[in-house]
Amino acid sequence: MLFNPPHPLEVKVLTRRFSEPNCASLETYLAHDGYQGFRKALGMKPEEIIDQVKISNLRGRGGAGFPTGMKWSFVPRQSSRPKYVVVNADEGEPGTCKDRVLMENDPHSLLEGMMIAGLAVGAHTGYIYIRGEYRYLIEIMDRAIEEACAGGWLGRNILGSGFDFDAFTHTGAGSYECGEESALLESLEGKRGVPRIRPPFPAVSGAFQSPTVLNNVETFCAVPPIVLKGGEWFANLGTPKNGGTRLFCLSGHINRPGVYELPMGFNLLRMIEEVGGGMIGGRKLKAVIPGGSSCPVLKADECDLAMDFDTVAKAKSMLGSGGVVILDETADMVKVALRLMRFYQHESCGWCIPCREGTLWLRKLLERLDAGRGSATDVNLVGELARNMLGRTFCPLGDAAAMPTISIVEKFRDEFEARLAPARDLVEIA
Amino acid sequence: MTFSPALEARLAALIRRYPAGRQRAALIPMLMYAQDETASITPELAEEIARRLGITTLQVDEVVSYYSMLHRRPLGRHHVQICTNISCMLTGGEELFERACRRLRIGNKQVTADGQVSVEEVECIGACSWAPALIVNYDFHHNVTTEKLDQLLDSLRGAAGGPTAFRPRADRGPSLKPSNGETAVDSGAA
């Protein structure tokens, strides 16, 4: 089974149908509130839909945590151009595997979320950009689209309302960078996944230079229950300004890794101990990457905190994409820093110099340090280079590479120093 | 250049998905689905797709050189993609990758002499909670152990004697049976 057995501490909103037999089918979906949010939204004004999403305090589940209702309200009401709904299903942030679970088990909720977004902004076409590796999910989504069309839930004049909506899947072809929204739009248009300069933001000029609502899979999946049960109900599940639940992907050195739906603000230590079943072999916790590999790491003594966007930001990290990677005392932090930098260097699109050159330099320095051939100057240079990348790159990939690196070098400097080359060797190399 | 009727139908449908005048948007999906049948992006294929979309072959080449899943040379009949990114690294993904290379006697992105199996170290594949994980063609394998890896490689090379669980990329139907990610295998359905 792809998904793990549920945990009693879970609050099942987006995953509530997962335990039903044949949960991905239209039949099961319809038997459990399926398309009822859309039906209700048909009777609402566009601004009323957006208001409910605003009240819900739903924030972007892709990683940035931007308020979804506000994002939707930026789409110009009057526009001579057609508008689009685009789903970011290019899940690729290391540590993150939740959108996969949603599309596999509840594909219709994604379609319903897209349709409600279409009603809210006046869009009649939606594209689901799915990473190429997820081919079986593209086929699940294609089948769900076919089923919904055959059942009259998608296509022309849905439920006799006069509202038309078409949804299509679109495969990626292997690129982390395409998870960045403007690079995704370039890729959707058949080009290299190179980010666009912003503004204009996608809400004004996105897919095919038209106003576009672009959100993560999980964000769209949260919309039907928000419309059906009300924004306030959803907001009350979480903490102030952090509405609802979210899918946390626990991985690494724990006994029960898995994807668990927990309320926003759930305590990280409890998440590890109670939901994740504690550390493997009873070993000691060393560090946690709280929201995908781009987030600064938290040391064990920084982990007693509420997992919502604002609390994790106060701890100088990020809630990010919900990928919680747990590292125990055996984890080699120099290797962790090197592995992550190899990733960012491989995925840097090469468009802007600080990222292209910075990630390469950092990879080479970290390789030297990992091999025991580095000097104390190299350790300083890693931090210095990474800090020089921050905020100086075209898109957030540069920051994503720099942030975990800076935090690892600062918080685990002793591990780097223990690996320095003996002074004698350094003289020879010099 | 001619394709199977199923692929022709798919390519035609892909072009229709995008707004008028924006057909270039179909480029990456067309390349991905065509590559499943032709095994790689040959110059001939690039020209054919360019012609159908009314763009230059240079515009196709630009895209092919950018995306890691588009290949100019054929991969093995079974392309084994082993994740070694953070969650898989912590649970033994690097050891699995090295073991696969050793057993197959090939390096990263190389193909066995008989063309049966290729191996690639890949970045995060979205299986972090079921790590370490790998993908064979498009089929996920989770919680992979060294024993499971050995069995898998043996079955891919046909060493076990019986028919393999996977069909060649070239005759994969357009549809995989999506029961769940772990056991998704060809259904043969069109």
Side-chain angles (χ1 to χ4, degrees):
Chain A
M1 296 273 265
L2 177 55
F3 51 96
N4 37 283
H7 191 276
L9 287 171
E10 281 188 87
V11 175
K12 297 207 153 264
V13 178
L14 276 67
T15 60
R16 69 193 182 283
R17 280 177 289 262
F18 282 19
S19 51
E20 303 298 332
N22 209 5
C23 59
S25 71
L26 179 62
E27 197 189 343
T28 306
Y29 192 64
L30 291 175
H32 297 87
D33 300 337
Y35 290 110
Q36 293 310 308
F38 171 73
R39 199 187 272 276
K40 186 173 169 189
L42 278 176
M44 296 164 72
K45 293 198 185 89
E47 41 289 13
E48 287 171 347
I49 300 172
I50 295 177
D51 278 346
Q52 286 304 311
V53 178
K54 279 183 177 166
I55 292 167
S56 76
N57 285 334
L58 173 65
R59 292 169 68 170
R61 300 298 196 236
F66 193 81
T68 306
M70 202 188 291
K71 201 173 191 181
W72 291 11
S73 69
F74 293 155
V75 175
R77 212 154 283 284
Q78 305 299 333
S79 171
S80 57
R81 307 187 67 94
K83 299 169 190 171
Y84 295 99
V85 174
V86 176
V87 181
N88 186 341
D90 192 48
E91 183 165 69
E93 175 76 8
T96 315
C97 49
K98 64 186 175 66
D99 297 338
R100 205 180 139 193
V101 175
L102 285 168
M103 288 188 284
E104 177 162 345
N105 297 296
D106 210 24
H108 286 282
S109 72
L110 174 57
L111 296 176
E112 188 179 353
M114 293 169 71
M115 290 158 66
I116 295 172
L119 279 173
V121 305
H124 301 284
T125 310
Y127 294 100
I128 312 167
Y129 185 104
I130 307 183
R131 64 180 297 184
E133 292 86 348
Y134 284 1
R135 174 65 68 83
Y136 82 99
L137 292 172
I138 295 174
E139 284 165 9
I140 289 176
M141 289 309 311
D142 280 342
R143 206 174 43 172
I145 290 168
E146 249 173 64
E147 255 188 319
C149 285
W153 295 98
L154 262 182
R156 301 277 85 79
N157 191 19
I158 302 167
L159 301 179
S161 65
F163 179 70
D164 303 336
F165 197 85
D166 289 311
F168 303 102
T169 57
H170 182 104
T171 180
S175 160
Y176 169 72
E177 175 61 15
C178 290
E180 193 278 329
E181 62 179 13
S182 68
L184 183 148
L185 292 168
E186 286 289 291
S187 184
L188 179 69
E189 294 181 12
K191 302 174 211 161
R192 293 166 75 91
V194 169
R196 294 176 179 171
I197 197 152
R198 289 165 296 168
F201 288 94
V204 176
S205 179
F208 312 112
Q209 280 69 57
S210 291
T212 300
V213 161
L214 205 169
N215 289 110
N216 171 258
V217 172
E218 188 184 350
T219 312
F220 280 114
C221 290
V223 169
I226 288 171
V227 170
L228 193 59
K229 296 190 179 178
E232 207 177 317
W233 167 82
F234 189 83
N236 288 336
L237 294 171
T239 55
K241 293 187 186 158
N242 290 265
T245 56
R246 101 168 278 185
L247 273 63
F248 289 98
C249 324
L250 306 191
S251 71
H253 294 142
I254 50 162
N255 285 314
R256 278 198 305 269
V259 177
Y260 300 96
E261 184 172 8
L262 298 164
M264 288 292 253
F266 198 91
N267 181 279
L268 176 55
L269 284 182
R270 274 188 85 198
M271 203 182 285
I272 297 169
E273 284 304 318
E274 295 178 39
V275 181
M279 307 298 293
I280 291 178
R283 288 196 293 265
K284 259 175 64 186
L285 176 69
K286 181 189 266 187
V288 174
I289 300 173
S293 68
S294 307
C295 305
V297 299
L298 297 170
K299 285 179 88 163
D301 61 10
E302 298 170 313
C303 290
D304 188 6
L305 86 176
M307 290 287 272
D308 62 46
F309 286 105
D310 303 317
T311 311
V312 184
K314 258 184 230 149
K316 297 197 165 50
S317 186
M318 301 187 305
L319 190 65
S321 60
V324 184
V325 187
I326 293 129
L327 299 96
D328 73 19
E329 54 190 327
T330 65
D332 177 340
M333 298 310 286
V334 181
K335 279 211 183 325
V336 169
L338 169 59
R339 183 63 190 86
L340 294 181
M341 194 50 67
R342 276 176 55 207
F343 166 69
Y344 290 108
Q345 193 254 320
H346 181 259
E347 300 298 333
S348 173
C349 77
W351 183 250
C352 71
I353 296 163
C355 178
R356 185 184 66 212
E357 299 303 315
T359 52
L360 182 67
W361 270 46
L362 285 165
R363 195 202 78 195
K364 287 179 174 176
L365 278 168
L366 289 165
E367 274 171 355
R368 192 151 78 203
L369 286 160
D370 176 51
R373 289 186 283 107
S375 67
T377 320
D378 290 338
V379 185
N380 292 333
L381 190 55
V382 168
E384 205 178 300
L385 269 172
R387 270 185 292 273
N388 265 308
M389 277 166 70
L390 276 182
R392 294 198 172 91
T393 55
F394 212 80
C395 86
L397 196 144
D399 292 345
M403 287 186 293
T405 310
I406 294 168
S407 70
I408 294 173
V409 174
E410 277 177 2
K411 295 179 184 180
F412 298 95
R413 196 180 169 94
D414 53 327
E415 293 195 28
F416 287 83
E417 286 175 345
R419 291 266 264 287
L420 299 182
R424 172 176 48 88
D425 293 2
L426 282 177
V427 173
E428 282 171 25
I429 290 166
Chain B
M1 197 172 179
T2 52
F3 305 113
S4 69
L7 180 58
E8 282 292 356
R10 185 185 284 280
L11 297 181
L14 283 172
I15 293 178
R16 285 196 301 271
R17 284 184 181 181
Y18 303 94
R22 299 290 190 163
Q23 270 56 46
R24 182 180 175 180
L27 175 59
I28 293 163
M30 286 174 83
L31 289 171
M32 284 288 280
Y33 287 105
Q35 179 180 256
D36 289 342
E37 187 164 297
T38 60
S40 69
I41 312 287
T42 58
E44 194 191 6
L45 175 63
E47 263 172 50
E48 177 67 22
I49 302 281
R51 191 183 60 74
R52 292 187 185 203
L53 293 176
I55 58 177
T56 64
T57 47
L58 181 63
Q59 287 171 315
V60 176
D61 287 341
E62 260 176 27
V63 157
V64 173
S65 66
Y66 182 86
Y67 294 93
S68 65
M69 292 180 76
L70 298 174
H71 303 279
R72 291 189 200 273
R73 278 174 307 163
L75 302 163
R77 186 165 169 257
H78 311 290
H79 185 48
V80 182
Q81 302 144 75
I82 303 178
C83 177
T84 62
N85 208 308
I86 183 76
S87 303
C88 287
M89 178 188 114
L90 295 174
T91 48
E94 289 183 329
E95 290 75 12
L96 292 177
F97 171 69
E98 282 157 21
R99 189 180 180 90
C101 288
R102 244 189 350 263
R103 281 181 70 95
L104 297 167
R105 297 177 194 209
I106 52 175
N108 192 25
K109 298 186 186 176
Q110 292 180 348
V111 189
T112 53
D114 59 4
Q116 287 293 301
V117 188
S118 50
V119 68
E120 183 178 356
E121 180 181 17
V122 293
E123 298 298 354
C124 187
I125 55 174
C128 319
S129 292
W130 313 283
L134 58 86
I135 302 176
V136 182
N137 295 348
Y138 291 111
D139 303 330
F140 279 81
H141 295 254
H142 298 124
N143 300 311
V144 181
T145 57
T146 49
E147 293 75 32
K148 278 198 206 170
L149 178 73
D150 291 353
Q151 276 172 21
L152 176 70
L153 295 179
D154 286 346
S155 76
L156 296 182
R157 287 186 300 183
T164 61
F166 308 96
R167 290 197 286 146
R169 293 169 71 90
D171 55 41
R172 287 173 79 87
S175 177
L176 302 186
K177 186 185 171 212
S179 49
N180 70 46
E182 205 153 356
T183 56
V185 291
D186 289 7
S187 65

